[in-house]
Amino acid sequence: MPRLLYSLIFTLCLPLVVLRLLYRAWRAPAYARRWSERFALGGDVRSGGIWVHAVSVGESIAAAPMVRALLERYPQLPVTVTCMTPTGSEQIRKLFGGRVGHAYLPYDLPWLQRRLIRRLQPQVAIIMETELWPNLVAECKRARVPVVLANARLSERSARGYARVSALVQPMFAALDWVAVQTHAEAARFRELGVPEAAMTVTGSIKFDLEPTPETLAQAAELRGQWGLRPVWIAASTHAGEDEQVLVAHRQVLVAQPDALLVLVPRHPERFDNVARLAQDAGFSVVRRSEQRVPAATDQVFLGDSMGELMMFYGCADIAFVGGSLVATGGHNYLEPAALGLPILSGPHRFNFTEISELLEGAGALVEIDGADALAGQVVLWLEQPDRARSAGAAGQAVVQANQGALQRLLEGVGRFVAGAPKD
């Protein structure tokens, strides 16, 4: 009954959903394309294989090692990856090209999810992290498609949100065939929401299995080599309300290190132009990645206004600030800079990556700061004491290496649902 009410309300709100899509298309034109896929029509859907759903950019990057391993393990099976956003779509195509099928996930209405599942006819549906929809799970169950929640995470805040609509979500959680959860604390939250103990395994986070490709490292070395011998720090995946604080911090950094370069990478591409103007209005000399121009010695900010190059930008830096943490977004993937041996800075809002950030902080690899002054102070400290910066970076790299292996455990679990899976 709750799911029926949910579907009815969703149907009644569909005109508003379409209006929101129009508004987003006005701000980011990519949303105006491929509308039919939102209604389970069109798209590059490859039937009879493995279906992976990754909501956006972060989940697509996290899923990449798993998808590559699935393509290697099951060369006879097609893989289709769905997402929700144009930036996620662009990332999927950049990562895999034509090796996988790709389409947007339709709106969560029973007949739309049913249509997609009939077209896909997957052996298994693998959903990344926490991107669960009641009708998606219910229609997979109806079609006898096993549902795996991979690299599952659930913050305290999200768990409280789900608990408020427990009548709707408990059947959804109870219907999951297997949950590969990152930590024991998150497993307890999933259990409280209805996931059976027998259907859950603590595998760790596959994000620890991140390994920068030689191509990425080579590109980073080439780009950094063009910038000369100057200190470089990066503010990555920043959100509105953070860029201003980062720029204030950079002004203070320049007092101590006049030749310092800030690599500023906003999280969402529709903000690239606004952030460029913000930096210019603040009096900084700005070079944009899209200009394909080498920053001059007098340029102070390099704007990373491209998609799929964040790991390369991290490879160019000496110090990393991870955004989404000075505002209440919950932080982003701290393991990307850690894997490259960078000392890490974060704001206080880390609830999306609590356990990972605490691991790094406990090892001395991450320092929490609460605003522009503290951010500038720690950047300057590490620039002036490179041995301490290197020590912090090495500690983070050691944490990443010590926690690897989740991907293998995940693949073994998924193999139980795939016909003709290799025996490990």
Side-chain angles (χ1 to χ4, degrees):
M1 188 63 171
R3 189 167 63 85
L4 180 63
L5 183 60
Y6 160 80
S7 300
L8 178 62
I9 292 170
F10 202 131
T11 302
L12 292 172
C13 291
L14 201 54
L16 295 176
V17 172
V18 173
L19 281 174
R20 182 173 179 269
L21 188 62
L22 280 168
Y23 171 71
R24 298 193 79 172
W26 173 67
R27 295 190 65 198
Y31 276 96
R33 305 183 195 112
R34 296 162 55 194
W35 276 44
S36 62
E37 293 174 29
R38 309 282 183 180
F39 297 90
L41 298 168
D44 180 9
V45 172
R46 305 180 187 182
S47 67
I50 297 170
W51 172 20
V52 177
H53 177 61
V55 59
S56 192
V57 176
E59 293 78 9
S60 300
I61 292 170
M66 179 190 72
V67 173
R68 290 191 192 101
L70 290 170
L71 289 167
E72 227 173 85
R73 283 188 164 215
Y74 311 110
Q76 78 283 10
L77 294 179
V79 175
T80 299
V81 184
T82 57
C83 71
M84 299 284 281
T85 67
T87 52
S89 177
E90 187 178 338
Q91 186 69 57
I92 289 162
R93 282 304 183 212
K94 186 161 189 146
L95 285 166
F96 307 113
R99 296 177 68 202
V100 303
H102 169 57
Y104 285 130
L105 185 76
Y107 295 125
D108 193 44
L109 292 167
W111 55 93
L112 297 181
Q113 297 293 0
R114 204 173 303 146
R115 181 188 291 161
L116 178 65
I117 292 165
R118 274 201 305 264
R119 295 176 64 207
L120 276 167
Q121 298 178 22
Q123 291 193 24
V124 61
I126 305 172
I127 299 171
M128 292 301 298
E129 302 196 351
T130 331
E131 183 61 14
L132 291 169
W133 293 92
N135 285 319
L136 183 156
V137 175
E139 292 302 325
C140 280
K141 203 73 179 172
R142 183 198 295 264
R144 298 183 179 178
V145 175
V147 179
V148 169
L149 190 61
N151 207 42
R153 62 186 178 94
L154 187 65
S155 68
E156 287 184 23
R157 172 190 275 198
S158 295
R160 287 195 299 269
Y162 278 124
R164 285 194 286 270
V165 288
S166 59
L168 173 64
V169 302
Q170 276 202 338
M172 175 183 74
F173 282 108
L176 296 173
D177 292 272
W178 186 51
V179 177
V181 65
Q182 295 187 21
T183 67
H184 289 281
E186 287 163 314
R189 293 174 202 138
F190 277 113
R191 197 178 303 115
E192 288 173 10
L193 289 169
V195 177
E197 183 76 41
M200 191 159 44
T201 307
V202 177
T203 57
S205 173
I206 64 171
K207 291 184 176 179
F208 283 107
D209 290 278
L210 176 71
E211 191 173 336
T213 65
E215 293 79 16
T216 297
L217 296 175
Q219 288 171 350
E222 182 183 356
L223 194 61
R224 178 65 191 261
Q226 295 171 1
W227 297 349
L229 298 174
R230 59 189 304 189
V232 177
W233 70 288
I234 184 171
S237 298
T238 58
H239 290 250
E242 285 185 311
D243 304 290
E244 296 86 347
Q245 296 181 69
V246 167
L247 291 169
V248 168
H250 190 48
R251 181 65 67 196
Q252 296 177 33
V253 170
L254 289 171
V255 173
Q257 299 277 340
D259 59 341
L261 180 68
L262 166 65
V263 178
L264 181 55
V265 188
R267 177 72 175 176
H268 299 112
E270 59 266 29
R271 297 185 56 246
F272 288 160
D273 291 341
N274 287 339
V275 174
R277 280 193 295 272
L278 189 69
Q280 289 163 345
D281 291 347
F284 293 101
S285 175
V286 180
V287 173
R288 300 177 64 151
R289 168 64 169 166
S290 58
E291 295 172 345
Q292 297 295 314
R293 183 165 63 85
V294 177
T298 51
D299 292 319
Q300 301 154 318
V301 175
F302 180 86
L303 185 72
D305 60 343
S306 60
M307 291 301 301
E309 294 191 313
L310 182 57
M311 201 67 177
M312 184 190 70
F313 293 143
Y314 274 132
C316 296
D318 303 309
I319 297 163
F321 164 73
V322 179
S325 59
L326 280 173
V327 293
T329 300
H332 290 295
N333 188 358
Y334 298 98
L335 295 176
E336 290 173 331
L340 288 164
L342 295 184
I344 303 162
L345 294 164
S346 170
H349 302 287
R350 299 185 266 157
F351 52 81
N352 284 337
F353 293 87
T354 303
E355 288 80 7
I356 285 172
S357 63
E358 286 177 353
L359 262 180
L360 292 168
E361 188 175 29
L366 181 149
V367 172
E368 182 181 296
I369 46 87
D370 59 4
D373 292 347
L375 176 58
Q378 190 62 42
V379 170
V380 170
L381 176 68
W382 273 336
L383 290 178
E384 291 182 344
Q385 299 182 31
D387 287 347
R388 289 180 64 173
R390 279 192 292 272
S391 176
Q397 212 164 26
V399 167
V400 172
Q401 291 165 357
N403 285 276
Q404 289 178 340
L407 178 59
Q408 181 61 29
R409 291 187 284 272
L410 173 60
L411 292 169
E412 288 169 3
V414 168
R416 291 182 286 139
F417 305 100
V418 179
K423 302 297 180 189
D424 292 300

